[in-house]
Amino acid sequence: MMKKMSIPTSRASLVLFLCQIISALDVPLDSKLLEELSQPPTITQQSPKDYIVDPRENIVIQCEAKGKPPPSFSWTRNGTHFDIDKDAQVTMKPNSGTLVVNIMNGGKAEAYEGVYQCTARNERGAAISNNIVIRPSRSPLWTKEKLEPNHVREGDSLVLHCRPPVGLPPPIIFWMDNAFQRLPQSERVSQGLNGDLYFANVQPEDTREDYICYARFNHTQTIQQKQPISVKVFSTKPVTERPPVLLTPTGSTSTKVELRGNVLLLECIAAGLPTPVIRWIKEGGELPANRTFFENFKKTLKIIDVSEADSGNYKCIARNTLGSVHHVISVTVKAAPYWITAPRNLVLSPGEDGTLICRANGNPKPSISWLANGVPIAIAPEDPSRKVDGDTIIFSHVQERSSAVYQCNASNEYGYLLANAFVNVLAEPPRILTPANKLYQVIADSPALLDCAYFGSPKPEIEWFKGVKGSILRGNEYIFHDNGTLEIPVAQKDSAGTYTCVARNELGKIQNEVQLEIKDPTMIIKQPEYKVIQRYGQVSFECIIKHDSTLLPTVVWLKDNDELPDDERFLVGKDNLTIMNVTDKDDGTYTCIVNTTLDSVSASAVLTVVAAPPTPAIIYARPNPPFDLELTGQLERSIELSWIPGDENNSPITNFVIEYEDALHEPGVWHYQTEVSGTQTTAQLKLSPYVNYSFRVIAVNKIGRSQPSEPSEQYLTKSASPDENPANVQGIGSEPDNLVITWEPLKGFQSNGPGLQYKVSWRQKDVDDEWTSVIVANVSKYIVSGTPTFVPYEVKVQALNDLGYAPEPSEVIGHSGEDLPMVAPGNVQVHVINSTLAKVHWDPVPLKTVRGHLQGYKVYYWKVQSLSRRSRRHVEKKILTFRGNKTFGMLPGLEPYSSYKLNVRVVNGKGEGPASPDKVFKTPEGVPSSPSFLKITNPTLDSLTLEWGSPTHPNGVLTSYTLKFQPINNTHELGPLVEIRIPANESSLILKNLNYSTRYKFYFNAQTSVGSGSQITEEAVTIMDEAGILRPAVGVGKAMASRQVDIATQGWFIGLMCAVALLILILLIVCFIRRNKGGKYPVKEKEDAHADPEIQPMKEDDGTFGEYSDAEDHKPLKKGSRTPSDRTVKKEDSDDSLVDYGEGVNGQFNEDGSFIGQYSGKKEKEPAEGNESSEAPSPVNAMNSFV
């Protein structure tokens, strides 16, 4: 695609000049002119008003100015003249007013603190700078202080104060630890704007010794560190939650004043547990969009570039689950002075008038004061041409002596603005700044801009002439700009020539000539074209151009808008680009760009690289479209179409598809007409009346379909009466008293002529009525009202147009609208098959009472109550639908032993008829569900207590419960099964005479008269003894037998038992000997002294045994008491227990050596508390059980 672009070189200089001389206020920045014209001083560069300097470096106070003649400079310090020559440390730069204070060679920055002002002066006036306040930066050290550790209770709030030293400018505060890592902050822990660290609530992890506050002074690049702060958090359980309390700001309200244009920062930090969440709102308004930001986890509200509209009340709300607290900050936005209209320089001619306007705003409103050449205007030399009127100075009939520099000062309590504006009164004859005989070259039909930059005082008038003796240029074909430029909007060939610009004022006249040449546009007359090339082939793009003979064009080729690859395969010729040995990387868009000094054009083409076949192969493609379509043999209902096939592209054409367009009814839409063999080039086509035909042909081969051919000429067939009638005629009523007749309208070409309508006819079937007919427009529905309810009708729809009727249509049977059935089914009978299934019968209703199409019957049934519980519940009706004319149905999913009701209704297309009378039936008993629970408690040596709950669904009258149980040994083998019948009114049972330390499995179910229900199983274990163990608490869940190894057969265990037996025998002999020597053994006294004996270990001082249990009490150990060696093996600690395999000690020796069981510490079948296993026999246990 060609793109033309014209770039006239004259426009850039014109824009610059328009910016320079918009009015007579500024002197053009022409170097030659500036050398000749006098001009008052203008301050061009100065230091900032608040100037903070580094005390270690030289102080540079800038003051630069321009003027003609060049200005001289002087300074004041703190309002008095600053004599630079008397201070050896201070120098002024040559040709400049900038001061340099030498600090690095002995000077002290503090000695030069103060307010400085620069004055630039020449013979036409004096300009002054702002007041520049010089202050050295300060980064003082932290004061020494003793910091006590902070002891804080968990959940309480805490504030760690930073209190940094006062620096200039203020430091940046941050908290780190000893490893110089920033302390993490969150909604709970965060740093305030004042640098303090706030804890909404402390947590144990807050304990640390190295909370360190750092102050960074950016101006001097120094960092000061506070002493580390220690925080120790102690825990108290439970931790008390607290509602929010504001840590800062305090109280319920506060105020804040901010200046216009600054950043407003508002802060709310709250304590509480859980950690409060902060939300901000503005009372009576919205927070400003796009200028509002939230920082520090929404604890800080930041509004940038504030204005007076941001004044108002801002509320922060801190909230947690226990409550909320709020604080209102009243914000007032004040404003330092800002310009509305700053004074601008005036260049006037003698005798002219002018004004200086100085308008500023602020809050409070700033006061305006004027100075002349740096002196308050009230005490400045008088000038009769000057009159001060508030913020305006009016000049009338100025003279050259009126030249001066005026200063406007706008100030309020928040700052000031100072602006210099000079009044320069000049008397200058006209000058033309555009070079003489400047040549302008422009492309034909483009705008031409001829410059005539000028200056003069008074302002000269400009006129343009063409040719040596031409008349002054006027008219709509030229545009004359205020800056002297002549614009020719559309430059033609005859626009070329010499143009003369004349500038004149009362002091003189001057003229200048410029030349205009018109060039022919550059064009690409042969553009590059889209190419498809096989890999490793060669391709060439052409780019032939036409251009003006005086312009030198350059041609540049780009690939994908970038430079061509640095590859020798790319050959750029004079008017083409050739690519050798093409690869896949060469795929892309290639652009030819032609540039001249005045314009530029471009054109692009795409290169597609495809794979090269292994051998030169035939390229198969879709056929080219047929062409040269011709219509012959035109008849009313047929025509002959012929065509010439296009190139078949190496794949034979298999068939031709012929399509037609009906420009009369569906313009732009092509329909399938027919298709013929690929060997034919003619086709006889059937036509319909009243169609404006166009035909096109598509060729098809194995590769695909060709593009369609160009359309044939149009052929309009004559009108005729319709050949066919609408299809899909139906008669269906939508209301009980109507008949809606619908049909599919004929398509446009089926109408066969204009004025398509339909004749709709109907009559009641089986009644000797005449047809009722109506003719309707081209619609698809007609409603017959006032019909009887649901009676059959004969319906027909016939098409007609302006030329006549279609053939007689066929009749269809329809029905008028349905109504709800009138009667309910009768003789409803229910046959209960089993406890969950019943069969219902009914008599069909007479078809006349259905008043519509019979769709079926609906059976509504619901449970009234359970016969076993006699408790009613929410009635949930169920519905079963039986299609057609069925007279019976099955009701599944019934609940046993329950009372049900049902009724039957007939259904047609309109809805349901009335319900039959409710029929009551009952289901018989069934088997019950499993008991709701089985719980086994109170295990003893030989008994277990069973408790159970009745079945959730008894499904009848419970007759009894069946309990089956059997023991399980250590290898999970089941013993003999015992069965017990239990009356139905029982809910617990104590099983006695069980084996001690034996696991049992229980099977429990309930019975009705029908049979047994599903069972529930549990497992439980009887205990071994009650002396040295806690009773095991048998779980109510399904337990499994412990998997244990029979250690009684292990060799190490047998050896251990032998050693234990030998030790016991020795101890018994020693005891027997000592007892014979010491007389009677005081058993009874011990029993009297210890009413609740506990087994004690053997005393070490005299070798005697401790206290002994009474032989008749058989009291179990108290909960929490320890066995002598703490060797009780708990079930949760090990799956193996010596109790499961070892033998209990049932008796000991008496004082005379005889064997008795009276003082035995362990006895069979005594209950043990807890769920621990019984102790294994050991020497210590045996000793402690001996009396």
Side-chain angles (χ1 to χ4, degrees), residues 621-627 643-657 676-681 697-706:
R622 295 179 298 174
N624 292 346
F627 57 94
W643 61 90
I644 298 175
D647 192 340
E648 61 184 21
N649 291 328
N650 301 311
S651 178
I653 296 174
T654 57
N655 58 296
F656 292 99
V657 177
V676 297
S677 168
T679 59
Q680 292 184 226
T681 57
V697 183
I698 300 171
V700 182
N701 63 11
K702 290 184 179 180
I703 308 302
R705 296 162 61 104
S706 73

Side-chain angles (χ1 to χ4, degrees), residues 1109-1123:
S1109 63
D1110 193 305
E1112 297 177 356
D1113 288 346
H1114 297 289
K1115 293 182 180 179
L1117 283 175
K1118 292 182 180 178
K1119 283 188 178 180
S1121 64
R1122 295 183 56 190
T1123 57

Side-chain angles (χ1 to χ4, degrees), residues 229-250:
I229 301 175
S230 172
V231 174
K232 295 183 179 179
V233 181
F234 59 90
S235 299
T236 58
K237 300 297 183 180
V239 177
T240 305
E241 294 187 342
R242 296 177 291 105
V245 176
L246 284 176
L247 298 176
T248 183
T250 58

